[in-house]
Amino acid sequence: MAAPFNPAPPRDPVSLAAAYLDLLAYYGREISLTLEVPRIYELAIDGAQTLTGAPSAALCARPPEGGSWQLVLSRGLDAEIGGGLCQVPAAQFSSGRTTMVFTVTGGKPELPATWRDIQQVLPGPLAAAVHQQGLDVLLSLPFEQEGPALLHLLAPASLVVPPESLAAVRMLLGQASVALRNARLYFQGTRWAQRLALLQATGTEIGATLHLNSVLTAAVRRAVDLVAASTGVLALWQAPNRQLVVAAATGVPGLLDCGTSTAHLGTGLAGRAAQERRVLVLPNYQGWEYAVPAVETPPIHGLVALPLLWQDDLLGVLEVGDYRADRVFTDEDVSLLLLLGQQTASAIANARLYERAQGRLHQLTVLQDTSRAIISQLDYDQVLRTVLRNASSLLGTQMGAVFVPDEKQEFLTVRAAVGLDDAFIRNLRVGQGDGPVGRVLAAAKTVAVHDVHTDPLLAAARAAGDQPPYASILAVPLISQGRILGALCVYGATPRHWSPVEAELLLVFASQAANAMQNILLFERLRAEKATLTTTIQSMSDGLVITDADGDIILANPVADQMFNVPFTASLGMNLLEVLALSPYPMEYRTDTPPADLLGAVLGQGSPYHGELDVRGTEHVTLEFSFLPVIGVGYIITGGLAVFHDITQLRRLNDLKTDFISMVSHELRTPLTSIKGFVKLVLVEDLGPLTPQQRECLTVADGEADRLTHLINDLLDITRIEAGRMMFSWEVLNPGDLIQHVMEVMRPQVDELQLHLDAALPAALPAIRGDRQRINQILTNLVANAVKFTPPGGQVQLSAVVESGALVVRVADTGVGIPDHALGHIFDRFYQVDAVGAR
């Protein structure tokens, strides 16, 4: 600190004015070079003493926002006297105060304020103390526009102060006032910059984390630092309980202004701020109705409660307090806290959103793990235990059970449980509709119990003296495909309000469990059916091979292996035809050879194949081979079924039958020829005349012999066809002549039955190549059948036409026709429609 400049006052008026100007310039320069308020005060008081020659001085000031006067600086006075001057009401100095307005008289300025006798201004004891120091008069000068300040100059009565001295003091105090304003503006700007930097750093810190506890801790600490407070506490709003709960604190125990860690709306300053949703400032906490004596900390004086709002939703309340008795929270402090509150509310909302997202991600992960676990398991009880463990863990209950109906559907019993005592589970039986679990099945909806000790659903259990090991219940139905399979329950160790989100989450677990239960039951049923099917297939006498849609073997029985001496049963996944080609036995198709692309025809086009196959292995066997498409849902071909039926014995029996018929037919023809010859001999009367009756009988016998001959010929034809020995006599034929011949042969019978027989033939028909006898036989049989089953007056017509390079001959009649049920048997051997029904 520079020493005050105090030269000896000159006597020459010109020299006197120049000296004052030099002093004023010196102090003015020193004042203008500093921005420190204490230094400005020192220069002001030292300069005033130097310019006036007053031996003692005191500078008193009061804060701009109000309060008591305080001694800032003193010279030549005891601290007690200086403090006493500041305690004197300012009005006492009003007659000695001046606004530094001068009156000019005789070309010289005169100051209205004058030195005053201290006995007239100061209280008696204080005036006596000042007088003992040889001070008799006092001059009080106000300055500093931004806040009240008084400069008291004290001197002996003998001191003479020229007007030039007072004019210089006036200008010096004016310079000091301007310097003080600039200094305070500078420090105010610096303080704002520091606070804004701190506010920015606060936003960066609480915005850099998504962990809620870190956000809350940082917000409280930064709020205290931002307004230079002593304590801070942040309470979050819990909507279900409708109360504020302390979540973070610094400087004091975690208590709100009401002395507890929780508060309802309207309780205490925090509760009022939350209810009114505005900032509340309490300048005197000790006089507050909720003031609680602090424990191990100084008493709090000033207090601010700031509601934390986000999009009109209340998130919590931030309280900031100070231990200092003279601390007053300014509007600037409140504005900064409001900005901090907005940042904190945003950070809390983001942290909660992140926590919800993380919680949802965790839930989805657990659900995915649960799905993966139950998909890989086929044990009924293990699946239920997996679902229970994951659901209980995710909901934070650690206890759960699955209830299913018993065999008689009378009671619900525990099928699987976690966290519950075995003895408790063993004795637990719930009637349909009884208690929360029974209600779940009866109503097929979620049932939540907040407290088992008060819930009316459990009144009967409480009356019976039941003491369950849990205090709350959340139960949901297990539903699959519209069927209620049971109930899934989780239990809380303490009373608990179950949220809709928790209920929805448990329903998802229940859906997984129900679907898994249903799938396992279906799997067990399919496994049993497959075992039955496998047993049936293995015990079949026919060879069986099942393929997929590509023709690869998926199932076969040992009979098929034995038939072809190939391992169908050990060749799963291999192509059917490729495995069949590995057979060492020669094979030959007795019927039409299968198409080159048999798999494509059957599995691609859905055309079944039927044929017979000769296999020359250790024995010569004949197999009936059928390869059929397997049609699934939506008429999609899902595979193929190859069946090999051993018809060797049937073929042998059929050959024996054919040989027998052939032999019998030949044996019958010899006596029949003799009979017919003798009948003819008698009819020509070589053996004597015949009576009409004899001729009639012999004529009938001759006709029946012809008929029997035709039957024997038909039997022989059938045997020849089946044996492959049918002989044909090929020649070029005129189809018109064939048709006319048949009509002439059938004319007597047609006329007898009063039928009309005609032919609709084109002008020219192309020649054909065939066996005349067999074609006549075919046409005669068709016309004979038409005539036989057409009533009198009916019509039988033959027609011929060329279609697609072939000659088509049709026989149509107006008779009864063939019934629909007999159409499929037209080409069966020896099948004949009932004549009565036909007629």
Side-chain angles (χ1 to χ4, degrees):
M1 183 184 300
F5 178 64
N6 191 14
R11 297 183 178 275
D12 183 23
V14 177
S15 300
L16 181 62
Y20 285 138
L21 289 176
D22 289 341
L23 288 172
L24 189 61
Y26 167 75
Y27 285 105
R29 183 175 65 253
E30 292 294 321
I31 288 175
S32 63
L33 291 177
T34 184
L35 288 173
E36 298 179 5
V37 173
R39 175 60 177 163
I40 295 174
Y41 281 142
E42 288 180 354
L43 291 171
I45 195 171
D46 291 341
Q49 282 187 276
T50 301
L51 289 171
T52 60
S56 301
L59 197 154
C60 300
R62 187 175 63 181
E65 59 272 11
S68 60
W69 289 80
Q70 302 292 330
L71 177 65
V72 177
L73 195 62
S74 66
R75 293 284 190 266
L77 290 175
D78 293 339
E80 184 178 354
I81 295 176
L85 287 173
C86 293
Q87 298 303 318
V88 177
Q92 289 290 103
F93 308 108
S94 60
S95 60
R97 295 176 63 183
T98 180
T99 57
M100 307 309 288
V101 177
F102 293 84
T103 303
V104 179
T105 304
K108 295 182 180 181
E110 293 183 359
L111 194 66
T114 59
W115 293 87
R116 301 182 60 195
D117 189 346
I118 60 174
Q119 300 296 333
Q120 299 176 0
V121 179
L122 302 180
L126 181 59
V130 172
H131 182 71
Q132 287 181 357
Q133 293 189 3
L135 303 174
D136 303 313
V137 294
L138 177 143
L139 178 62
S140 298
L141 300 174
F143 73 104
E144 189 176 355
Q145 299 177 5
E146 300 301 324
L150 283 175
L151 175 61
H152 300 292
L153 298 175
L154 294 94
S158 59
L159 178 66
V160 177
V161 180
E164 291 82 3
S165 172
L166 294 179
V169 170
R170 165 190 173 275
M171 288 185 287
L172 176 62
L173 294 181
Q175 290 178 341
S177 178
V178 173
L180 286 171
R181 181 175 59 186
N182 292 339
R184 284 186 172 143
L185 288 175
Y186 170 77
F187 285 113
Q188 184 178 13
T190 302
R191 184 175 70 253
W192 263 103
Q194 293 173 345
R195 286 189 166 187
L196 291 177
L198 182 59
L199 188 63
Q200 183 179 6
T202 301
T204 302
E205 181 179 358
I206 64 177
T209 179
L210 290 173
H211 190 268
L212 183 59
N213 289 336
S214 299
V215 169
L216 301 178
T217 302
V220 173
R221 187 182 69 253
R222 290 289 189 171
V224 171
D225 294 342
L226 188 63
V227 295
S230 304
T231 67
V233 61
L234 193 152
L236 293 179
W237 171 248
Q238 293 186 350
N241 300 329
R242 298 193 59 80
Q243 63 181 4
L244 295 167
V245 179
V246 172
T250 182
V252 292
L255 301 176
L256 294 169
D257 63 278
C258 56
T260 61
S261 59
T262 61
H264 294 281
L265 291 180
T267 302
L269 195 67
R272 282 181 50 194
Q275 185 178 45
E276 300 175 14
R277 298 197 172 197
R278 64 187 182 93
V279 180
L280 297 179
V281 180
L282 189 65
N284 182 14
Y285 175 76
Q286 298 307 310
W288 177 238
E289 58 178 318
Y290 291 101
V292 177
V295 179
E296 298 181 358
T297 58
I300 298 175
H301 292 274
L303 190 67
V304 177
L306 171 73
L308 302 176
L309 304 174
W310 180 252
Q311 296 180 350
D312 294 332
D313 291 333
L314 176 66
L315 302 183
V317 172
L318 174 64
E319 279 193 337
V320 176
D322 205 302
Y323 298 142
R324 292 170 291 183
D326 59 345
R327 173 61 190 269
V328 177
F329 287 102
T330 64
D331 293 341
E332 178 183 321
D333 296 331
V334 173
S335 299
L336 291 172
L337 289 176
L338 281 173
L339 293 175
L340 175 64
Q342 294 175 0
Q343 293 178 340
T344 303
S346 175
I348 292 174
N350 291 337
R352 284 181 170 175
L353 183 62
Y354 174 75
E355 285 187 350
R356 285 195 294 269
Q358 289 296 104
R360 185 59 176 166
L361 178 60
H362 177 60
Q363 293 173 3
L364 293 176
T365 302
V366 173
L367 289 174
Q368 184 180 16
D369 293 342
T370 304
S371 298
R372 188 182 300 112
I374 64 179
I375 288 174
S376 62
Q377 295 175 357
L378 292 175
D379 184 274
Y380 192 88
D381 295 327
Q382 184 61 34
V383 166
L384 296 182
R385 283 192 292 270
T386 299
V387 173
L388 279 173
R389 279 195 300 268
N390 290 345
S392 299
S393 175
L394 194 59
L395 295 175
T397 60
Q398 309 305 323
M399 290 184 288
V402 172
F403 290 82
V404 296
D406 60 4
E407 295 181 356
K408 296 182 179 180
Q409 301 290 317
E410 296 178 353
F411 296 96
L412 297 171
T413 59
V414 176
R415 179 61 187 262
V418 293
L420 295 173
D421 185 73
D422 291 339
F424 175 78
I425 296 173
R426 195 178 306 112
N427 298 324
L428 189 58
R429 295 168 62 87
V430 180
Q432 296 281 358
D434 295 339
V437 177
R439 285 282 301 278
V440 167
L441 265 68
K445 65 179 183 180
T446 302
V447 174
V449 175
H450 164 62
D451 190 347
V452 298
H453 303 99
T454 59
D455 194 274
L457 289 177
L458 297 170
R462 289 194 299 272
D466 293 345
Q467 296 294 329
Y470 46 79
S472 54
I473 307 172
L474 179 62
V476 297
L478 295 168
I479 302 176
S480 178
Q481 299 179 358
R483 292 180 56 238
I484 301 178
L485 306 180
L488 173 63
C489 304
V490 292
Y491 304 96
T494 59
R496 175 172 177 175
H497 289 283
W498 303 97
S499 69
V501 174
E502 292 171 327
E504 186 67 26
L505 184 61
L506 191 60
L507 278 173
V508 175
F509 277 103
S511 176
Q512 288 185 335
N515 291 334
M517 293 165 63
Q518 189 70 17
N519 291 339
I520 291 174
L521 292 176
L522 291 175
F523 176 79
E524 293 294 337
R525 187 181 306 166
L526 289 175
R527 184 161 57 182
E529 292 177 355
K530 182 179 179 181
T532 302
L533 177 62
T534 302
T535 303
T536 302
I537 291 175
Q538 299 298 328
S539 62
M540 287 178 62
S541 60
D542 293 339
L544 181 68
V545 180
I546 302 175
T547 72
D548 58 16
D550 296 324
D552 297 333
I553 300 172
I554 59 177
L555 184 63
N557 65 355
V559 177
D561 295 353
Q562 297 169 5
M563 285 180 172
F564 296 96
N565 195 18
V566 291
F568 285 111
T569 54
S571 303
L572 302 183
M574 296 181 61
N575 186 270
L576 168 64
L577 298 183
E578 293 177 357
V579 176
L580 186 61
L582 298 176
S583 173
Y585 298 158
M587 289 179 283
E588 181 181 353
Y589 287 94
R590 291 177 59 99
T591 54
D592 293 339
T593 302
D597 186 12
L598 179 61
L599 294 179
V602 177
L603 301 179
Q605 303 173 13
S607 301
Y609 171 79
H610 300 280
E612 292 183 6
L613 185 65
D614 279 345
V615 180
R616 291 175 173 80
T618 56
E619 296 181 359
H620 182 191
V621 297
T622 301
L623 302 177
E624 186 179 53
F625 172 34
S626 297
F627 191 25
L628 310 173
V630 178
I631 310 299
V633 179
Y635 300 97
I636 297 175
I637 298 175
T638 60
L641 178 65
V643 181
F644 302 95
H645 178 55
D646 188 347
I647 60 173
T648 304
Q649 189 65 25
L650 293 176
R651 177 61 62 186
R652 289 174 182 170
L653 292 175
N654 186 65
D655 291 342
L656 290 175
K657 179 237 357 171
T658 301
D659 293 341
F660 174 77
I661 292 174
S662 178
M663 181 190 67
V664 170
S665 299
H666 282 289
E667 294 297 327
L668 288 176
R669 289 183 69 175
T670 300
L672 185 60
T673 302
S674 299
I675 293 171
K676 185 172 178 59
F678 284 116
V679 170
K680 289 288 186 182
L681 182 62
V682 173
L683 283 174
V684 297
E685 297 184 351
D686 288 344
L687 300 179
L690 298 174
T691 64
Q693 290 82 3
Q694 291 174 335
R695 180 172 293 280
E696 181 179 358
C697 290
L698 289 173
T699 301
V700 172
D702 184 59
E704 290 300 319
D706 290 339
R707 181 169 175 269
L708 184 57
T709 300
H710 286 304
L711 290 174
I712 292 172
N713 290 335
D714 288 343
L715 287 174
L716 290 174
D717 288 343
I718 290 173
T719 57
R720 292 190 191 102
I721 292 173
E722 290 180 345
R725 298 191 298 268
M726 189 70 177
M727 302 300 293
F728 297 98
S729 178
W730 299 97
E731 59 179 308
V732 178
L733 304 172
N734 186 332
D737 294 342
L738 295 174
I739 294 173
Q740 289 299 329
H741 173 73
V742 172
M743 292 178 65
E744 291 174 0
V745 172
M746 296 299 302
R747 182 67 61 185
Q749 188 176 356
V750 169
D751 293 341
E752 182 183 356
L753 295 175
Q754 300 178 2
L755 300 175
H756 178 69
L757 176 64
D758 63 356
L761 303 176
L765 286 173
I768 62 173
R769 186 174 181 272
D771 187 312
R772 181 185 299 275
Q773 180 183 353
R774 300 304 175 190
I775 294 178
N776 278 332
Q777 183 182 6
I778 293 172
L779 292 176
T780 301
N781 287 338
L782 292 175
V783 175
N785 282 334
V787 169
K788 182 179 180 180
F789 295 103
T790 300
Q795 181 177 3
V796 178
Q797 185 181 57
L798 285 84
S799 62
V801 64
V802 177
E803 293 181 358
S804 302
L807 178 65
V808 180
V809 179
R810 295 185 175 91
V811 177
D813 62 68
T814 59
V816 296
I818 301 174
D820 292 340
H821 71 272
L823 291 175
H825 301 282
I826 290 177
F827 296 101
D828 290 353
R829 290 177 296 181
F830 308 114
Y831 181 82
Q832 187 173 7
V833 179
D834 184 8
V836 176
R839 291 184 188 278

